[in-house]
Amino acid sequence: MTLTQAAPTRVVRPGLSTAGLVTVLLGAALPIIDFFIVNVALPTINADLHASTATLELVVAAYGISYALLLVVGGRLGDAYGRRRLFFIGLMAFTLTSLLCGIAPSVDMLVLARALQGAASALMLPQVLSIIQASTSGESRSKALGLYGAMGGISTVVGQLVGGLLVSADLWGTGWRPIFLVNVPIGLVGLWLARQTLPESRSENPHGVDRLGTVLLGVSILSLLVPLMEGRALGWPVWSIVLLAVFPFAVWGFVVVERRIERSGAMPLLPPSVLRMPSMRRGLLVGVPFFAGFGAFMFVVAVTLQEGLHFGPLKSGLALTPMAVGFFTMSLVSSRFVTRYGQRVVVAGAAIQLLGLLVLVGTVAMAWPSITVLDLAPGMLLAGVGQGLAMTTLFRIVLSRVPTEIAGVGSGVMTTTQQASLALGIATLGSLFASLIGSIGVRDAFMTVIGLQAALTAGVMWFARRLPDPRG
């Protein structure tokens, strides 16, 4: 079922000032920085709150699950009730939930606060592009979108380094907590800037919120990922088996409801007609294993660096920085390669990432346990370069074939798939890594799981050849 909104009156849309652009870019950066900061801090959280590796997976994945589930809903609420208003509400909620994460007394409370933080990000982040699109045009829009794209790469670098610095500093004996608490003053400044600088805009014909579809998608995601992450560690209790049994029925119900809503002429959460588009279908076939591998990679590397190689948080951040720099650099120049080489850029990016993964496996095999940051740098850099080329180009290729009138829907489908796949990678390959540590050790567990990711990347290379050419 859907919530139908009366079409609001046309809204006068003033331009986006430089200060306003800085404000929305800050809103885009915070959730990305938070993702990378948490990975660096996982072993410290484990030592302080005595969390199992499976629960640490939930600390990361709870954020991604709620973000994926509510992302499209957040965009539609902004269209209906005002993007500036929803940006403000989302940033306020993100600030509050960051405080809750920072003061969480137990790992269970931290997981809950992380889920709420992901929901807050889902309210805030969709408004960033919507505000840029509604408040800019021509050259100013191109520059704003370029800065938005670059912000993703910059945020990965900042997340690695700031996370390592904050945890290593152990300010006033607070350990990992400042990685969340630092968001509070930043968020308060952002709230003041948002009130002062952002113009209001909304859609003249907003789509309603697909409440039943959202619930069924949530049940589908949770009934699969929670048992995969927690079932093994708890000895597969009855509830985990029951949830896995619920999964196919929830998916079936979701598909039926989405088809029914679309046939009625309304806009479902994930429109089946969009999913059936050849470019979208092929893009998702490439994207799911690619993003799942990336999510698992970040989790496995974070644990390996600190628990296997005994790097401190700052040293771990430095070890990951070449990957972030490579990703950032390629995200800036990938459009030039796409203009010349088309969809082959995704194939080349996957090939470079595959080479980076194999170099990392070889480094661990030959130099363990006396591995240095410099030893890891070549593999990390290659992996980052490949990810930057493939990820940014994949979004561009798939969305270039989506009709302009439903571009926002197509973007929502891709981003929802991205976030759900990140969580799926942690639930599957991350859980496999956790189960192998006890039997074969961190070194061999790392080599096994990264080797499996390499196999997934080889599959990405194969299927990426069938992506449409964006130049055509």
Side-chain angles (χ1 to χ4, degrees), residues 134-147:
S135 308
T136 61
S137 60
E139 184 63 22
S140 62
R141 177 181 292 179
S142 298
K143 289 181 179 179
L145 292 175
L147 289 171

Side-chain angles (χ1 to χ4, degrees), residues 43-68:
T44 309
I45 294 172
N46 180 24
D48 184 31
L49 299 181
H50 309 291
S52 66
T53 304
T55 308
L56 288 179
E57 293 173 27
L58 276 177
V59 171
V60 179
Y63 180 93
I65 291 171
S66 61
Y67 179 78

Side-chain angles (χ1 to χ4, degrees), residues 296 300 304 357-358 360-362 364-365 429-430 432-437 439-456:
V300 169
T304 299
L357 295 174
L358 295 177
L360 285 173
V361 170
V364 169
L429 293 177
L432 175 62
F433 174 72
S435 67
L436 292 175
I437 288 177
S439 57
I440 63 177
V442 176
R443 170 184 175 271
D444 290 345
F446 174 88
M447 293 172 60
T448 300
V449 172
I450 299 304
L452 288 174
Q453 188 196 350
L456 281 177

Side-chain angles (χ1 to χ4, degrees), residues 152-468:
I154 294 171
S155 299
T156 60
V157 179
V158 172
Q160 309 293 354
L161 295 180
V162 172
L165 284 169
L166 288 175
V167 177
S168 297
D170 192 20
L171 300 172
W172 305 288
T174 54
W176 53 272
R177 297 181 186 275
I179 68 170
F180 297 112
L181 296 177
V182 72
N183 291 334
V184 176
I186 296 174
L188 292 175
V189 172
L191 289 170
W192 180 83
L193 288 172
R195 187 175 292 278
Q196 300 296 321
T197 65
L198 294 186
E200 184 60 284
S201 65
R202 56 175 59 89
S203 173
E204 296 178 17
N205 297 290
H207 298 297
V209 175
D210 177 6
R211 291 177 292 181
L212 183 56
T214 301
V215 170
L216 287 171
L217 179 61
V219 173
S220 301
I221 293 175
L222 292 173
S223 63
L224 175 65
L225 297 187
V226 172
L228 289 179
M229 285 187 281
E230 293 292 304
R232 177 200 57 80
L234 299 176
W236 295 106
V238 173
W239 64 261
S240 64
I241 304 299
V242 171
L243 280 180
L244 285 175
V246 166
F247 170 70
F249 296 100
V251 172
W252 174 79
F254 176 71
V255 172
V256 169
V257 167
E258 298 301 275
R259 287 176 175 172
R260 188 185 69 197
I261 292 174
E262 190 167 53
R263 284 197 299 267
S264 73
M267 181 63 72
L269 183 70
L270 299 179
S273 61
V274 174
L275 294 172
R276 286 193 297 267
M277 293 175 59
S279 61
M280 181 64 70
R281 188 172 63 249
R282 294 172 189 174
L284 297 182
L285 187 64
V286 172
V288 169
F290 180 83
F291 295 128
F294 180 73
F297 178 86
M298 294 305 301
F299 178 81
V300 169
V301 169
V303 175
T304 299
L305 290 177
Q306 296 194 56
E307 293 192 355
L309 293 173
H310 305 292
F311 284 10
L314 178 58
K315 193 174 181 180
S316 296
L318 290 172
L320 288 164
T321 297
M323 183 192 73
V325 171
F327 184 97
F328 170 55
T329 304
M330 289 301 105
S331 68
L332 292 180
V333 302
S334 61
S335 60
R336 301 177 188 176
F337 292 118
V338 173
T339 301
R340 185 169 183 179
Y341 300 108
Q343 79 277 20
R344 286 176 291 175
V345 174
V346 179
V347 180
I352 295 170
Q353 178 180 332
L354 175 59
L355 177 60
L357 295 174
L358 295 177
V359 169
L360 285 173
V361 170
T363 301
V364 169
M366 293 186 295
W368 188 278
S370 303
I371 297 176
T372 67
V373 170
L374 289 178
D375 292 332
L376 295 169
M380 290 290 185
L381 180 61
L382 286 169
V385 167
Q387 289 161 359
L389 282 174
M391 190 180 300
T392 55
T393 306
L394 179 61
F395 268 86
R396 176 175 174 176
I397 287 175
V398 173
L399 296 180
S400 68
R401 297 300 179 98
V402 176
T404 303
E405 61 271 16
I406 57 170
V409 175
S411 179
V413 170
M414 279 297 293
T415 310
T416 298
T417 301
Q418 177 191 35
Q419 295 300 319
S421 299
L422 289 171
L424 178 64
I426 297 169
T428 52
L429 293 177
S431 294
L432 175 62
F433 174 72
S435 67
L436 292 175
I437 288 177
S439 57
I440 63 177
V442 176
R443 170 184 175 271
D444 290 345
F446 174 88
M447 293 172 60
T448 300
V449 172
I450 299 304
L452 288 174
Q453 188 196 350
L456 281 177
T457 305
V460 167
M461 288 175 55
W462 176 264
F463 288 112
R465 299 182 307 161
R466 299 191 61 198
L467 288 171

